[in-house]
Amino acid sequence: MTNTENATGIIPSIDIALRPVNGKHIPAITSLQVAEIFGKKHSHVLRDIKGVLKQASVFFGESNFGLSEYELKNNLGFLVKHPMYIITKNGFIMLTMGYTGEKAMQFKEAYINRFNEMEKQLANRVPDDPTSLGLPDFRNPVEAAKAWALAIEEKQEVEGRLAIAEPKAAVYDEVVAPNVLTLTDFCRRLEGVNIMAVKRSLCMANVFYVAPDGGYRVYARYRDTHFAEKFDKDYGSRTFHVLPEGQKLLTRLYHDGKLIMKKGFTAPSRDKGVSHAA
């Protein structure tokens, strides 16, 4: 990160609002605001955020940086969605730690002070109207009884879902998972395929895509039907398992010449065949 100062040297209006981050509405700003405050291109702010997310723990990243979108009109007048992040106070401090310079320091101090003010206001606030916070009106006995009954019903529904899901998860972990190959292991069976470029090949085939954090993800239409994603929180890495339909898809791409090959290799004809068995 380079030294940065707002071009005007004037602190912009401090607009901190309650925004959703990891399922909670807390005081936050957006990456667009950070770009405006410090006179940076938004793309550079996104790059800096990705750098923070790569080095910080998964918990810190999810708790302080919420991926969102905003819309801008393109040259043809159509609205196009672009990525942005919603950032908490701690995320703001971590992100701007390397933004130096006298004016940058003033901007950071002003925003952190405003964050602290909002947190104090929220901590001391007892709303006259609980519904303004999306809560039931517990001052009304009928509404309070309804809210209590609904909470019990939701609790029972969640417990029922867990009771159904647990044996399924156990069966998958003990029976299915050991027999499912990882993407790397399966592609080793495809002679000549460049293992290091398989994910890039799947991106070109619109099966995978590159997420804002720079990692690869499976498009929803192929997730859990062709490929299963497993995220390891301890290492912050994602493993892809190839399901039977995914094995068929990879084999088809292989024979169609759509998987990047090692130097000196070419994809075989369709009649050669590839074994799917473990």
Side-chain angles (χ1 to χ4, degrees), residues 165-183:
E166 281 182 4
K168 288 184 178 179
V171 169
Y172 181 85
D173 289 340
E174 296 178 13
V175 180
V176 180
N179 297 315
V180 173
L181 295 173
T182 65
L183 179 61

Side-chain angles (χ1 to χ4, degrees), residues 179-184 186-187 226-228 240-248 250:
N179 297 315
V180 173
L181 295 173
T182 65
L183 179 61
T184 299
F186 178 76
C187 288
H226 294 68
F227 301 92
F240 300 95
H241 295 273
V242 186
L243 305 178
E245 288 301 314
Q247 295 182 13
K248 294 177 185 178
L250 282 167

Side-chain angles (χ1 to χ4, degrees), residues 103 107 125 140:
K103 295 299 181 183
F107 300 155
R125 183 173 65 173
N140 184 323

Side-chain angles (χ1 to χ4, degrees), residues 1 30-36 38-51 85 87 95 99:
M1 301 178 191
T30 70
S31 52
L32 289 170
Q33 289 174 266
V34 173
E36 178 187 0
F38 295 98
K40 295 172 68 74
K41 291 183 178 179
H42 187 235
S43 59
H44 291 175
V45 174
L46 294 180
R47 177 199 61 196
D48 294 342
I49 292 173
K50 290 177 182 178
Y85 280 89
I87 307 168
L95 172 63
Y99 295 179

